[in-house]
Amino acid sequence: MYHDILVPIDISEPALTQLVVSHVETQALLTDVARVHFLTVLPAFPYYASLGLAYSAEAPDKERIRSEALSQLSETANKFNIPKDRIELHIATGSPKDGILELAATIHADLIIIASHRPSITTYLLGSNASAVVRHAKCSVLVVR
Ligand code: ADP
């Protein structure tokens, strides 16, 4: 049914990831050809610098952070019961919603599966990432709660 399924993962929120596991497995295993693209978006470092939280002398080692994120994403992906040769891992930098929408366009995703926090007064219906993805994605989006 779907060929390229994009699953954005916030590695700091394992409970949200847990919510999507069965949905991703079900959609991925509907055919023998579907690929699952897991994506984690890291904050842009200049953003921290602009807040005065880091100076060049103490700038975090970008490559180390990226490779740590990749290994955590890989660990997360291994928890999904999907053939390994149908999984692709992606790391991007910037705002999560932009990274998700950009990768969706690049890989021609035909489905995005995203978890959302339960609605509350502070998030009002959908959180900012989920709502931007629903609003701007060119493909179907499954929001899991
Ligand atoms: P928030 O209130 O954090 O914006 P949302 O409910 O809008 O929460 O979206 C949460 C979902 O957004 C996560 O389940 C995940 O799919 C995606 N997401 C959030 N942050 C990231 C990130 N840094 N990298 C990849 N995906 C992310």
Side-chain angles (χ1 to χ4, degrees):
M1 175 75 197
Y2 296 107
H3 283 95
D4 286 282
I5 303 169
L6 174 54
V7 184
I9 300 285
D10 181 347
I11 46 181
S12 65
E13 296 239 34
L16 276 188
T17 301
Q18 195 51 42
L19 282 180
V20 303
V21 171
S22 62
H23 297 271
V24 173
E25 290 173 353
T26 302
Q27 295 302 328
L29 299 175
L30 280 178
T31 71
D32 291 336
V33 293
R35 275 178 307 204
V36 178
H37 301 260
F38 290 100
L39 164 71
T40 287
V41 185
L42 299 174
F45 298 106
Y47 171 74
Y48 287 126
S50 72
L51 294 177
L53 296 177
Y55 296 95
S56 52
E58 309 162 6
D61 178 344
K62 291 185 199 174
E63 263 322 302
R64 193 179 54 73
I65 291 173
R66 193 184 167 87
S67 102
E68 175 59 25
L70 190 57
S71 101
Q72 285 190 38
L73 184 60
S74 168
E75 218 171 277
T76 300
N78 285 337
K79 295 188 178 139
F80 289 67
N81 191 13
I82 299 166
K84 300 289 168 272
D85 61 349
R86 294 215 257 136
I87 289 179
E88 289 186 32
L89 305 179
H90 305 262
I91 300 285
T93 308
S95 90
K97 51 187 156 232
D98 290 344
I100 295 165
L101 291 166
E102 275 169 33
L103 183 64
T106 305
I107 63 170
H108 304 293
D110 45 12
L111 178 65
I112 300 172
I113 301 181
I114 189 167
S116 174
H117 294 104
R118 289 194 174 270
S120 70
I121 289 203
T122 50
T123 55
Y124 187 59
L125 295 180
L126 281 180
S128 62
N129 291 303
S131 65
V133 171
V134 167
R135 188 175 295 249
H136 297 289
K138 301 213 162 46
C139 64
S140 300
V141 180
L142 172 57
V143 179
V144 180
R145 288 215 170 106

